[in-house]
Amino acid sequence: MIRSVLAQQSRSKIENEHPASSPLSIHDMTVAYHRKPVIWDIDYTAPLGKLVAIVGPNGAGKSTLINAVLDLVPKASGEVRVFGEEYRKQRDRVGYVPQRESVDWDFPVNALNVVAMGLYRKIGWCFPVMRRHRQTAMEALDRVGMADYAKRQISQLSGGQQQRVFLARALVQDADLYLMDEPFAGVDASTERAIVEILRELRERGRTTLVVHHDLQTVTEYFDHVMLLNMRLVATGPTSEVFTRENLRKTYGGKLALLDQVGHKMTLGESGG
Amino acid sequence: MSSVEKRIGFALLVAVIYLGNAASCIAEPLDHSHSTRPPARSLSRDRLEWPALSDVKRTLLLRDYNTRIVAIGTTMLGAAAGIVGVFMLLRKRSLIGDVVSHSTWPGIAIAFLVMERIKTDGGKWLPGLLVGALLAGVAGILCTKLILRYTRIKEDAALAIVLSVFFGAGMSLFKAVQYIPSGSQAGLNHFILGKTASMVSADVWIIGEASLAILIVIGLLFKEFSLLSFDDKFASSQGWPVFRLDLSLMLLVAGVTVIGLQSVGLLLVVAMLITPAAAARFWSDRLGRTTAIAACLGGSGAFCGVLLSAMFPRLAAGPVIVLTGALFFIISLFLGVRRGVIVRIVTHRRLKTAVGRQHILRALFEYLEPHCDPAAPMSSQLVNHIVSANELLPMRSWTLKRLRHLLRTAEKSNFIAVVREGGYRMTNRGAELAHRVVRNHRLWELYLIEHADIAPSHVDRDADDIEHLLAADIVESLERLLSERYPHMTVPPSPHAIDSAPGSTIRQSTS
C-alpha cells in the first residue's frame, strides 16, 4: 500500500521534472566496429516505468546497443538522450549491469566491496569508502538475498550469486533507468526468481529497465515491452502486440525449429490467459 | 585453465628467465673461453669466495655506510614496485612493465647525446638521464596505446613490436654514444643490468622521494585504481576517466622503472614489479592486504638481495635481488595461506577423507536400517549389530581394497570398532554421525526431487556429489520441509529402493 503510494509519488516527480521526455530515446544511431556496422539506424523511445526486453539472435548488436548508449563504444552517427539530456549529464540516473563474463572474478575483493563500487561516483575522487556506504551496500545485498555472503571473496560465489552481486551494485545507485546485459545468462532457478522479483519491484517504483534477454520462452512472462533487434530494429512495443511469430521470424530468420517451440509456448500462454 | 594458474605460470616463467639471466650475469666474467672477451682481468678476482664471518657480521649489522645506503634505497624501491605491481597484475598489464623498461633505453642514450652537445663531459648528469628515460618510457606506452586504438593488432603483438623497436633503437644509439670519447666511459651500459653498488646517498634521496610520491598517489587513488582493475567497463559507464586513470597507472610503472634502472637495470626491473605482487596473491583475498603484503615482500626481497650481494662482492646486486624475489615467490606458492599449493592439497585431502567417512557410515546405516525398529531410537540399535566388509561391498560401487581402507580409517578415528576378525560394529560416536549423514543425504535427495525435478531413481548419485557441501541454511530449510512431511521421523525414508537389500551378499560374486 505504502509502496504503491511512494511509487506514484516518484512517478509523478519524474513526470514533473521531465515532462514528455522519455527515459531513453535513441535517434538514428549507427554503430560500427572497424568500418563494419554492427547496428544500423536505430530509432527508439523507451516507455517510462516499464520492463523492456531486448531480444535478438547472437551478433544482433544487443550488447552494442547498450554500450553505445553508455558511451562505451563510439557511435558512427545518431544521438542518444537520457531523460532529455546527454548521457554524460545524466549518469547518476542510469544504472548499468554488465555481462558477468566481462570481469575477472578471481579479483581479490569481497561481495560487499563490489557492491560498494556502485557508490564510488557518489563518494567522489580520493575519498575512501565509509561505514555508511558499506551499510548502503549491505542493504542492497540484502535486497538480492546475498547478505550472508557479503564477506565472501567473489570467486567463491556461484554464477548466480555473482550475477546478484552485480545487480546489487547497480541497485545501490538508486537510478531511474537501468540497463542490464544478460542478467539471466547461466543463473540458477532461484537467482532467476530473485532477479525477476527485483525487476518487478523496480517497475513498481516507476523505474525503467531495459534487459538484454536470451530466453524467448520467458519474454511474455517477465516483460511488458519488447524490442526485437537484428542489426536493425525489427519491432518494438508492448509484448502482447509485438512478440508475434511473424516478428520473431523477421528477427531470427530461418531458425524455424526454435520458432515453432516458442510459438507453441505462446499459443499455450494465450489460451491460458 | 583459470587465470590464476596462467598468472602463476607466467610468474614462474619470469622467475626462470631471471634465473637464467642472473646465472649468465654471474658467469659472464668467468667465461674466458669466449673469444670476444679480452682476458685482461686478474685471475684472483674471478673466484667466488665465501665471505669471512666478520664480513657477514659487518654486513648483517649494516656497519658499512655504503651497504646501508644501498639497502635503504633498494628496500624502498622494492616496496614501491611491489605496490604498483599489484595493480599492474590485476589490470592484466604485467607485460607493459617490460615495454616501459625497454623503451627507456633510447631515452637514456638520447639524453646523454643531447647533454653532451650542450656541455662537453656533461652527459653523465644523472637526473637528466632519468628524465630522458622517463620520457622515452612514456613514449613507449603511448605508442602501444596508439597501435591498439587505431589498428586491429592484438595487444601481445603491439607490446612485442614496441618493446623490440625501442630497444633496438636504444642499441643503435648506444653505439653512437660509444664513439664519443666520454661516452665509452660514461657507464651507460650499467643501465641494462644495473649497478647497485654505485648507489650514493643522492640516489637514495631520489628513490625515497619517488617512492613516497608513488605511495601517496596510490593511497589517494586506491579506490579508483581498484575499480579500474576490476571492471573498467563499469568504471567508464560511471564516468570515471578510464583512459587517463590507466595512463596514470602506467606513469607510476614508468616511475618505478626509471628509479629502478640504476639498481637492477632495465632488463630485470619488471621482476621487481610483478614477482612480489604475484607472490602476495597467495596470501590474501583482499586488495588492501594483498598490496601491503606485496610491499613487504618486495621490500624485504630487495633488502635480502642487497645484503647477499654485499657478502659476495662478486655477485651483482640486481640479479640477486630478482632471485631472492623469486625465492619469496616460490615460498608463497607453496605456503601461502589463501591459495598456496599446500593449503589446496590439505583442503582437498580433508574433503576426500570426510567424503570417504560419510560413505562408509551411510553404507553401514543403510545396511542395518531394515533390521532396526523405526519406532525405537536408531543410534542405540545401530551399535548392536556386527557387519563384515563383504556384506558392505554391494552397498556402493567400491572395490574391496577401497572399502577395507575406509574401514581402517574410520576405525582409527573411532567411528567403528573391530569386534572380531573382519567383523565391525559402530561406536556411539559413529552411530551419531551416521545418523546425521544419512539424514542430510535424504534431505538432499528430497530437495533434488522437490526442486530440481530429478527422477527418484537417479537421485542417489546426484545427491552423493553435493551432499558433503550442503550449506547450513539449506539444511535448515530442508529440515523444515521434512518436519512438515514426516513429522514423526528424524531420518526420512529413502525415496528410492536401496540398491542392496540385506542378505543379498551373494551379488558380489557376480561382479
Side-chain angles (χ1 to χ4, degrees), chain B residues 192-374:
Chain B
I192 295 187
L193 285 171
K195 196 179 181 205
T196 316
S198 66
M199 204 181 264
V200 294
S201 61
D203 302 341
V204 172
W205 276 112
I206 295 182
I207 294 179
E209 283 159 14
S211 304
L212 195 67
I214 288 167
L215 210 65
I216 290 172
V217 174
I218 293 266
L220 284 176
L221 296 180
F222 193 82
K223 168 172 115 276
E224 286 77 6
F225 281 148
S226 60
L227 178 61
L228 171 80
S229 314
F230 175 61
D231 193 348
D232 53 354
K233 247 178 119 180
F234 183 75
S236 179
S237 81
Q238 293 270 294
W240 295 101
V242 164
F243 185 75
R244 263 176 281 164
L245 275 174
D246 225 2
L247 211 60
S248 30
L249 190 57
M250 293 304 125
L251 265 177
L252 292 182
V253 173
V256 169
T257 308
V258 166
I259 57 172
L261 281 181
Q262 265 193 300
S263 41
V264 285
L266 59 87
L267 284 182
L268 296 182
V269 72
V270 73
M272 292 193 80
L273 284 161
I274 295 303
T275 328
R281 206 54 198 86
F282 292 109
W283 295 97
S284 177
D285 269 340
R286 288 164 64 176
L287 187 57
R289 239 179 246 178
T290 306
T291 318
I293 292 168
C296 292
L297 285 176
S300 52
F303 184 76
C304 296
V306 166
L307 291 196
L308 267 178
S309 81
M311 279 182 234
F312 299 88
R314 296 287 330 205
L315 290 180
V320 176
I321 290 171
V322 172
L323 286 181
T324 42
L327 183 69
F328 282 13
F329 173 78
I330 292 166
I331 292 171
S332 308
L333 172 68
F334 285 103
L335 299 183
V337 291
R338 279 289 156 189
R339 321 172 140 228
V341 171
I342 290 175
V343 170
R344 279 193 188 186
I345 292 174
V346 168
T347 8
H348 185 74
R349 285 197 59 163
R350 243 183 235 158
L351 183 70
K352 226 174 127 181
T353 319
V355 169
R357 178 192 300 154
Q358 296 188 3
H359 281 165
I360 190 87
L361 289 175
R362 188 155 66 81
L364 273 165
F365 186 102
E366 289 183 344
Y367 180 77
L368 296 175
E369 199 178 8
H371 297 298
C372 297
D373 175 13

Side-chain angles (χ1 to χ4, degrees), chain A residues 87 104 106 121 124 127 169, chain B residues 4 92 223 231 237 281:
Chain A
Y87 169 64
D104 175 13
D106 210 26
R121 212 180 128 69
F127 283 98
R169 182 177 68 173
Chain B
V4 196
K92 312 235 174 347
K223 168 172 115 276
D231 193 348
S237 81
R281 206 54 198 86

Side-chain angles (χ1 to χ4, degrees), chain A residues 229-246:
Chain A
L229 186 75
N230 192 356
M231 298 185 74
R232 290 165 193 278
L233 201 61
V234 178
T236 167
T239 313
S240 52
E241 292 168 23
V242 173
F243 199 66
T244 60
R245 263 188 100 134
E246 184 50 35

Side-chain angles (χ1 to χ4, degrees), chain A residues 17-262:
Chain A
E17 275 172 18
H18 297 275
S21 69
S22 153
L24 173 69
S25 52
I26 303 170
H27 302 294
D28 202 17
M29 184 173 78
T30 298
V31 181
Y33 288 134
H34 294 291
R35 281 185 291 172
K36 188 178 159 231
V38 182
I39 46 178
W40 293 82
D41 308 330
I42 303 288
D43 264 303
Y44 179 68
T45 305
L48 185 71
K50 295 276 193 253
L51 270 175
V52 184
I54 304 176
V55 174
N58 288 329
K62 305 185 292 291
S63 298
T64 307
L65 180 85
I66 286 188
N67 289 344
V69 167
L70 296 171
D71 285 339
L72 295 176
V73 295
K75 290 179 272 289
S77 73
E79 58 180 28
V80 170
R81 287 279 179 271
V82 176
F83 295 105
E85 286 187 72
E86 279 177 62
Y87 169 64
R88 50 190 181 80
K89 288 185 187 153
Q90 296 282 14
R91 281 185 210 276
D92 290 333
R93 300 182 66 184
V94 182
Y96 171 46
V97 181
Q99 277 181 28
R100 188 161 53 85
E101 292 81 26
S102 65
V103 303
D104 175 13
W105 288 94
D106 210 26
F107 200 86
V109 65
N110 63 27
L112 185 69
N113 286 335
V114 171
V115 177
M117 285 176 186
L119 294 166
Y120 280 9
R121 212 180 128 69
K122 213 172 273 174
I123 297 168
W125 284 96
C126 303
F127 283 98
V129 180
M130 306 290 217
R131 179 173 292 166
R132 64 196 152 91
H133 300 128
R134 291 215 180 84
Q135 209 149 12
T136 316
M138 197 67 200
E139 281 157 18
L141 267 181
D142 197 31
R143 267 174 81 187
V144 297
M146 288 284 294
D148 293 341
Y149 300 89
K151 296 283 174 197
R152 283 264 186 108
Q153 203 259 324
I154 50 173
S155 67
Q156 292 163 10
L157 301 174
S158 74
Q161 290 170 333
Q162 292 173 346
Q163 190 64 60
R164 289 198 226 179
V165 170
F166 258 17
L167 191 63
R169 182 177 68 173
L171 289 179
V172 286
Q173 230 182 298
D174 199 22
D176 293 315
L177 170 67
Y178 281 99
L179 302 174
M180 306 187 182
D181 205 343
E182 302 207 20
F184 293 107
V187 303
D188 52 287
S190 67
T191 298
E192 183 151 342
R193 275 197 298 275
I195 296 176
V196 169
E197 207 172 292
I198 293 286
L199 290 181
R200 289 186 177 149
E201 194 188 316
L202 287 173
R203 176 177 57 190
E204 239 170 82
R205 289 158 61 181
R207 313 299 160 87
T208 312
T209 313
L210 270 70
V211 180
V212 173
H213 194 58
H214 248 141
D215 184 11
L216 295 178
Q217 319 248 354
T218 51
V219 169
T220 38
E221 188 186 335
Y222 295 164
F223 297 96
D224 324 312
H225 272 239
V226 67
M227 172 205 256
L228 291 169
L229 186 75
N230 192 356
M231 298 185 74
R232 290 165 193 278
L233 201 61
V234 178
T236 167
T239 313
S240 52
E241 292 168 23
V242 173
F243 199 66
T244 60
R245 263 188 100 134
E246 184 50 35
N247 279 336
L248 279 174
R249 197 188 303 277
K250 278 190 211 157
T251 315
Y252 281 83
K255 291 167 192 158
L256 279 171
L258 178 79
L259 286 175
D260 283 341
Q261 218 179 340
V262 176

